[in-house]
Amino acid sequence: MAVQSTELILDELKKLLGEERATSNDTVRDLHGRDESYHAVRPADIVVFPETTDEVSAIVKTAAKHKVPIVPFGLGSSLEGHVIPYNGGITIDFSLMNKILEIREDDFLVRVQPGVTRTQLNKELKKRGLFFSVDPGADATLGGMAATNASGTTTVKYGVMRDQVRDLEVVLADGSVIHTGSLAAKSASGLHLNGLFVGSEGTLGCFTELTLRVYGIPEQIAAARASFPTIDDAVTAVVSIQQAGVPISRVELVDEPSMQQVNRHAGTDYPVKPTLFLEFSGNVAGLRQDIEFTKEIVSDLGCDNLEFEMDQEGMNRLWEARHHLAYSYIHSNPGRKMMVTDVCVPISELAGAVHHARETVDRMGLIGGITGHVGDGNFHIILMIDMNNPEEVKKSEQLNEAIVSYALDRNGTCTGEHGVGVGKLKYQAREHGAALAVMETIKRALDPDHLMNPGKLFSPSKEDA
Amino acid sequence: MAVQSTELILDELKKLLGEERATSNDTVRDLHGRDESYHAVRPADIVVFPETTDEVSAIVKTAAKHKVPIVPFGLGSSLEGHVIPYNGGITIDFSLMNKILEIREDDFLVRVQPGVTRTQLNKELKKRGLFFSVDPGADATLGGMAATNASGTTTVKYGVMRDQVRDLEVVLADGSVIHTGSLAAKSASGLHLNGLFVGSEGTLGCFTELTLRVYGIPEQIAAARASFPTIDDAVTAVVSIQQAGVPISRVELVDEPSMQQVNRHAGTDYPVKPTLFLEFSGNVAGLRQDIEFTKEIVSDLGCDNLEFEMDQEGMNRLWEARHHLAYSYIHSNPGRKMMVTDVCVPISELAGAVHHARETVDRMGLIGGITGHVGDGNFHIILMIDMNNPEEVKKSEQLNEAIVSYALDRNGTCTGEHGVGVGKLKYQAREHGAALAVMETIKRALDPDHLMNPGKLFSPSKEDA
């Protein structure tokens, strides 16, 4: 934005929100110009801190009047540049909208403002024997998690963020306010706006309130770890367990070189083999039977070391290697920046995809660990890149392209859980084919001036360039 | 349509499909002019029976060229007039597109044509130890079930139809073909078209192929029946069981007068009390513990008669009253037509809603049974109406309005699982508020001539009138 128009708009916003909650202070602008990814930094022009839906609506109307972009901002933990305001405009920081508004225990529902984080919510829920299921690792805001359709290790049992959203209050591009759902557990009424807005990455509107599904804490949790001769055996084990109808609540794969890296870093002596980290939940009698059954299945596949624990300390110990994976790579590679790939393939293609990923990483001489949410077919390469080495940066981009290409050839997706942002834009046409035009039609219809988080999820329009 | 244009279009379609698969035969037209509901009959103008996606695309292009409506038709088991061609045009009968194209066991996925029915699919899946979870009662086609976001008794555990759809092949209003998803178990790429098209009731396009999620058959199923002093006690029991994290796979409520009706009809002596029909699934040890725990919970709420069975015969016997409910009303009321209400409320409002429903039915002097999917808050009044008695027809409409109004006042929905069709059109504005305009914007953007199943889900445009 031109300096003059920035000042004019800031003045208007200060009138609306007061001196304190609308700013172009350099430190604040910088803090809102980055996320947790390797994507280039671009400071915000103006940052505002609304406290109510009405204020968000007024901010969006101001942006619409001046035809400047709106970028919603949670905690900046996104991994594909979602919140970086490459086209400037007004960044809406939701950190002051961080209240848990209502816990409806009998309905298994909570109503929260978008700035509430998942651990903040879980702390309150625990007192009532309830929990919120989606765990993407980072302590992200629930608004951000809904905007990117976050998921994580528990998805195999409880589903992704979209599955938890019962209703959203959304401020649209024209400043009007809608509700996308209701409090009913299911509905066959109207188009499914809940699903459409979840994962829309701020491009269709800003979330100002979320009603989310929560669950009763299971009586008992059991953790297990099992290593296998090959990745294929490990994946086959997971499929067999699921085909037998045994409910798994988490199942993570760590590949052989990554186990070695953990041992080297932590001084541990885990078997250097493809390893599954599992979690089951239910009642004690049922869990014991599930685990006995699981033992039989994995032993047929060459695993002679299934260990399991039911107390918290023992469970933590069993899963330690998985928890330490990213950290062990970060700590062992000071000065390098983390880039994480994020494809998801049909489960039958997962073993092949992990082999391909490992071969490609090694052939290119890159440093990277591989971990996968096996139950979903989603896996990550945690790459450690020297950003000052243009050759290595280029190679890591080529690697990402090769991984995505492999996944798309098998009817998978370029992003299982991190979202498109700016990092996965170039794969949208190939992945969605003719459906991309339908998405663009919807975007144009709901945001004709292309002001809602422009350049994310959808390729920049000509005016943005 | 004018007779002349009907003949012209029929000629074109016969050239496309051959003499046999495009018709305006009176019997065929009549068969495609009704569904299983009480809504007025209106014979189709032209009925076509495509065998391929290309044929569907060519049919839709023909309709677009002549600006006549397209109405997709499965088996006609819809309950709100979805498939009745009130605006004439071309009815596409999908009964020849009834192949199971692929079963990907390791991916827990099947790819089917839209005319495949759920029992046809389950018969094939059973051989592989798998099953398809959605059970709406009727043996509907999977295309129809996706179009209306069908659900039923298993939703409390496995979710609704939308939760099972991984990908749809859709022919859009201009005849172009898109895929709305991929084979990946989860994705954060692009707008969620899967969710948007499921439940769109043929108003955004015709489904020509579906990729659906399936599940491993659980080791053991247990059925249970428990009657309670009051409806409130029964609902409280369900909430308590769920809060304790015990997974229920089905839970149905039948109210007191409905149990009496079953006894009268079938000569049984079930306790005439609000009754829960439950199903659990898992391994034997886990189930026994779940049932013991459930016994404790229900006994605290005044239930001293929880019975349970694990063999198929015993389970059928336990659930008999629930299975016979609709039939007992139909059989005892010859000459009357069934009308079924279908609201869904937050679970905390369910007991009150069932009380209100029973009081209103009795006060109006109508005949009706009440059954509810308690885990979801969705319940039905099975009304038996003398369609030749205008006074009674009017009363039943007033009843439906009162039931919907009660649900919407509590932030529920006017239809939990039957869909909008023409029957729930008048409640859309009240239920969705400003969001209805967003839905209409999307509809206009994707079907500017309003030719895809016009008058359903969306209020008729001026041209339709």
Side-chain angles (χ1 to χ4, degrees):
Chain A
M1 284 195 290
V3 176
Q4 221 176 353
S5 77
T6 301
E7 279 175 13
L8 178 75
I9 295 166
L10 184 59
D11 256 13
E12 277 187 42
L13 292 168
K14 279 182 188 287
K15 274 190 199 113
L16 194 66
L17 304 168
E19 284 293 321
E20 300 294 307
R21 296 195 284 117
T23 182
S24 61
N25 168 291
D26 281 348
T27 313
V28 179
R29 288 176 57 214
D30 278 352
L31 281 171
H32 294 81
R34 62 190 72 231
D35 63 6
E36 287 184 12
S37 75
Y38 62 98
H39 292 289
V41 169
R42 195 283 192 195
D45 289 341
I46 296 174
V47 183
V48 292
F49 298 84
E51 291 178 344
T52 65
T53 302
D54 283 349
E55 286 183 354
V56 176
S57 169
I59 294 161
V60 172
K61 280 178 182 163
T62 304
K65 191 177 79 178
H66 294 282
K67 296 222 190 297
V68 297
I70 285 286
V71 179
F73 190 101
L75 272 171
S77 56
S78 62
L79 291 170
E80 291 293 359
H82 298 81
V83 297
I84 306 176
Y86 290 116
N87 296 287
I90 304 169
T91 290
I92 305 183
D93 180 311
F94 283 97
S95 57
L96 298 184
M97 290 180 72
N98 66 344
K99 314 277 177 308
I100 298 170
L101 300 170
E102 193 182 5
I103 298 181
R104 295 175 68 114
E105 293 180 49
D106 287 359
D107 292 316
F108 299 90
L109 290 177
V110 294
R111 195 159 57 87
V112 299
Q113 290 187 312
V116 172
T117 71
R118 64 177 185 90
T119 56
Q120 178 191 350
L121 177 60
N122 267 325
K123 207 174 140 194
E124 276 310 304
L125 289 175
K126 201 177 176 181
K127 301 173 191 166
R128 294 161 170 88
L130 299 169
F131 77 106
F132 178 71
S133 64
V134 184
D135 175 3
D139 187 21
T141 64
L142 294 163
M145 287 170 65
T148 54
N149 191 27
S151 54
T153 54
T154 61
T155 298
V156 63
K157 177 159 182 183
Y158 295 99
V160 298
M161 193 67 191
R162 184 174 283 122
D163 300 312
Q164 320 310 329
V165 172
R166 192 63 59 81
D167 181 37
L168 296 170
E169 184 182 77
V170 185
V171 174
L172 299 175
D174 63 358
S176 65
V177 181
I178 64 165
H179 278 261
T180 58
S182 71
L183 296 185
K186 64 183 199 186
S187 175
S189 178
L191 294 180
H192 189 50
L193 297 188
N194 274 343
L196 183 71
F197 278 83
V198 173
S200 63
E201 303 190 354
T203 64
L204 302 182
C206 295
F207 306 159
T208 46
E209 208 176 283
L210 302 90
T211 301
L212 302 170
R213 187 176 177 188
V214 298
Y215 299 86
I217 295 174
E219 180 188 314
Q220 179 68 49
I221 292 174
R225 191 181 66 225
S227 53
F228 293 82
T230 68
I231 282 175
D232 306 68
D233 294 326
V235 173
T236 304
V238 175
V239 171
S240 302
I241 295 166
Q242 290 188 302
Q243 276 170 345
V246 174
I248 308 174
S249 50
R250 304 186 200 238
V251 53
E252 300 286 298
L253 171 73
V254 175
D255 85 334
E256 198 168 321
S258 307
M259 290 302 291
Q260 194 162 37
Q261 164 71 18
V262 170
N263 279 344
R264 214 162 12 198
H265 171 70
T268 46
D269 59 349
Y270 297 114
V272 179
K273 286 181 176 180
T275 302
L276 288 182
F277 297 81
L278 297 124
E279 192 183 277
F280 305 87
S281 59
N283 63 46
V284 176
L287 280 180
R288 288 196 189 281
Q289 188 169 331
D290 281 345
I291 288 164
E292 280 315 305
F293 187 80
T294 301
K295 267 189 184 167
E296 284 174 34
I297 290 176
V298 300
S299 118
D300 286 348
L301 290 159
C303 166
D304 54 7
N305 60 359
L306 179 96
E307 292 182 68
F308 77 94
E309 297 281 355
M310 287 204 191
D311 67 288
Q312 193 57 52
E313 205 181 320
M315 293 197 291
N316 289 346
R317 194 180 46 73
L318 270 188
W319 269 64
E320 215 170 16
R322 171 66 186 89
H323 290 315
H324 284 184
L325 182 63
Y327 185 69
S328 82
Y329 274 97
I330 294 166
H331 196 261
S332 307
N333 294 282
R336 285 169 184 265
K337 195 124 184 162
M338 193 167 76
M339 187 188 106
V340 187
T341 71
D342 177 42
V343 297
C344 187
V345 295
I347 298 164
S348 61
E349 301 283 358
L350 183 64
V354 172
H355 282 305
H356 168 261
R358 172 52 65 195
E359 276 165 26
T360 314
V361 168
D362 292 349
R363 183 168 41 78
M364 287 184 159
L366 294 167
I367 302 166
I370 298 183
T371 177
H373 309 310
V374 203
D376 313 317
N378 181 208
F379 74 96
H380 307 297
I381 313 176
I382 302 165
L383 276 180
M384 300 309 305
I385 310 164
D386 177 358
M387 297 299 281
N388 297 318
N389 179 343
E391 181 66 15
E392 199 171 306
V393 172
K394 199 176 156 196
K395 271 189 191 167
S396 68
E397 279 162 13
Q398 285 167 344
L399 173 79
N400 204 353
E401 275 172 35
I403 300 299
V404 169
S405 203
Y406 188 98
L408 294 183
D409 281 347
R410 282 144 189 90
N411 214 342
T413 176
C414 69
T415 171
E417 56 187 16
H418 295 170
V420 175
V422 295
K424 296 288 169 68
L425 267 181
K426 60 181 163 186
Y427 307 115
Q428 293 297 294
R430 180 165 166 206
E431 175 166 345
H432 300 297
L436 184 58
V438 173
M439 298 176 194
E440 288 169 343
T441 299
I442 293 170
K443 163 73 174 172
R444 256 196 316 276
L446 298 182
D447 178 21
D449 291 327
H450 208 67
L451 296 179
M452 304 309 282
N453 209 6
K456 319 296 164 54
L457 192 61
F458 297 98
S459 289
S461 67
K462 282 160 205 109
E463 303 93 85
D464 299 336
Chain B
M1 284 195 290
V3 176
Q4 221 176 353
S5 77
T6 301
E7 279 176 13
L8 178 76
I9 296 167
L10 184 59
D11 257 13
E12 278 187 42
L13 292 168
K14 278 181 188 291
K15 273 187 199 117
L16 193 67
L17 304 168
E19 284 292 322
E20 300 294 307
R21 296 195 285 116
T23 182
S24 61
N25 168 290
D26 281 348
T27 312
V28 179
R29 290 175 56 214
D30 279 352
L31 280 170
H32 294 81
R34 62 189 74 230
D35 63 6
E36 287 184 11
S37 75
Y38 63 99
H39 293 289
V41 170
R42 196 283 192 194
D45 290 341
I46 297 174
V47 183
V48 292
F49 299 84
E51 290 177 343
T52 65
T53 302
D54 284 349
E55 286 183 355
V56 176
S57 169
I59 293 161
V60 172
K61 280 177 183 162
T62 304
K65 190 176 80 178
H66 294 282
K67 295 221 189 298
V68 298
I70 285 286
V71 180
F73 189 102
L75 272 170
S77 57
S78 62
L79 291 170
E80 291 293 359
H82 298 80
V83 296
I84 307 176
Y86 290 116
N87 296 287
I90 305 169
T91 290
I92 305 183
D93 181 311
F94 283 98
S95 57
L96 298 183
M97 290 180 73
N98 65 344
K99 315 276 177 306
I100 297 170
L101 300 170
E102 194 181 5
I103 298 181
R104 295 175 68 113
E105 292 180 50
D106 287 0
D107 293 317
F108 299 89
L109 290 177
V110 296
R111 195 160 56 87
V112 300
Q113 289 186 313
V116 171
T117 71
R118 65 177 184 91
T119 56
Q120 179 191 349
L121 177 61
N122 268 325
K123 206 174 142 194
E124 276 310 304
L125 289 176
K126 200 177 178 183
K127 300 172 191 166
R128 294 160 170 88
L130 299 170
F131 77 106
F132 177 71
S133 64
V134 185
D135 175 4
D139 187 20
T141 64
L142 294 163
M145 286 169 66
T148 54
N149 191 27
S151 54
T153 53
T154 61
T155 298
V156 63
K157 177 161 182 181
Y158 295 100
V160 299
M161 192 68 189
R162 184 174 284 122
D163 300 312
Q164 321 309 327
V165 172
R166 192 65 58 82
D167 181 39
L168 296 170
E169 185 182 76
V170 185
V171 175
L172 299 176
D174 64 358
S176 64
V177 181
I178 63 165
H179 278 262
T180 58
S182 71
L183 296 185
K186 65 182 197 183
S187 175
S189 179
L191 294 180
H192 189 50
L193 296 188
N194 275 343
L196 184 71
F197 279 83
V198 173
S200 63
E201 303 190 354
T203 64
L204 302 181
C206 295
F207 305 159
T208 48
E209 209 177 283
L210 302 90
T211 301
L212 302 171
R213 187 176 178 187
V214 298
Y215 299 86
I217 295 174
E219 181 190 313
Q220 179 68 49
I221 292 174
R225 193 181 63 226
S227 52
F228 293 81
T230 68
I231 283 174
D232 304 68
D233 293 326
V235 172
T236 303
V238 175
V239 171
S240 302
I241 295 166
Q242 291 187 303
Q243 276 170 344
V246 174
I248 308 173
S249 50
R250 303 185 201 239
V251 52
E252 299 286 299
L253 171 73
V254 175
D255 84 335
E256 197 169 322
S258 307
M259 290 303 292
Q260 192 163 38
Q261 164 72 17
V262 170
N263 279 345
R264 212 159 18 196
H265 171 70
T268 45
D269 58 351
Y270 297 114
V272 179
K273 285 181 179 180
T275 302
L276 288 182
F277 297 81
L278 297 125
E279 194 183 275
F280 305 86
S281 60
N283 64 46
V284 175
L287 280 180
R288 287 196 191 282
Q289 187 169 332
D290 281 345
I291 287 163
E292 281 314 305
F293 187 81
T294 302
K295 266 190 185 168
E296 283 173 35
I297 289 176
V298 301
S299 115
D300 286 348
L301 291 159
C303 166
D304 54 7
N305 61 359
L306 178 97
E307 293 181 67
F308 78 94
E309 297 281 355
M310 287 206 191
D311 67 289
Q312 193 57 53
E313 204 182 319
M315 291 197 293
N316 289 346
R317 193 178 49 72
L318 268 189
W319 270 64
E320 216 170 15
R322 170 65 186 89
H323 291 314
H324 283 185
L325 181 65
Y327 185 69
S328 81
Y329 275 98
I330 294 166
H331 196 262
S332 307
N333 295 281
R336 284 168 185 267
K337 196 125 182 159
M338 193 167 76
M339 187 189 106
V340 187
T341 70
D342 176 42
V343 296
C344 188
V345 294
I347 299 164
S348 61
E349 300 283 357
L350 183 64
V354 172
H355 282 304
H356 167 261
R358 173 51 66 194
E359 276 165 25
T360 313
V361 169
D362 292 348
R363 181 167 42 77
M364 285 184 159
L366 293 167
I367 302 168
I370 297 182
T371 177
H373 309 311
V374 203
D376 313 317
N378 181 208
F379 73 95
H380 308 296
I381 313 176
I382 301 165
L383 275 180
M384 300 309 304
I385 310 163
D386 178 358
M387 296 300 280
N388 298 318
N389 180 343
E391 180 68 14
E392 199 170 309
V393 173
K394 198 176 157 196
K395 270 189 192 167
S396 68
E397 280 161 13
Q398 285 167 344
L399 174 78
N400 204 353
E401 276 171 36
I403 300 299
V404 169
S405 202
Y406 188 97
L408 295 183
D409 281 346
R410 280 143 190 91
N411 214 340
T413 176
C414 70
T415 170
E417 57 187 15
H418 295 170
V420 174
V422 294
K424 295 288 169 68
L425 268 181
K426 59 181 162 185
Y427 307 114
Q428 293 298 293
R430 180 167 164 202
E431 176 166 345
H432 301 297
L436 184 58
V438 173
M439 299 177 192
E440 287 169 344
T441 299
I442 294 170
K443 163 72 174 172
R444 257 196 316 275
L446 298 181
D447 179 21
D449 291 327
H450 208 68
L451 296 179
M452 305 308 283
N453 209 5
K456 320 294 163 53
L457 192 60
F458 296 97
S459 290
S461 66
K462 281 161 204 107
E463 304 92 86
D464 299 336

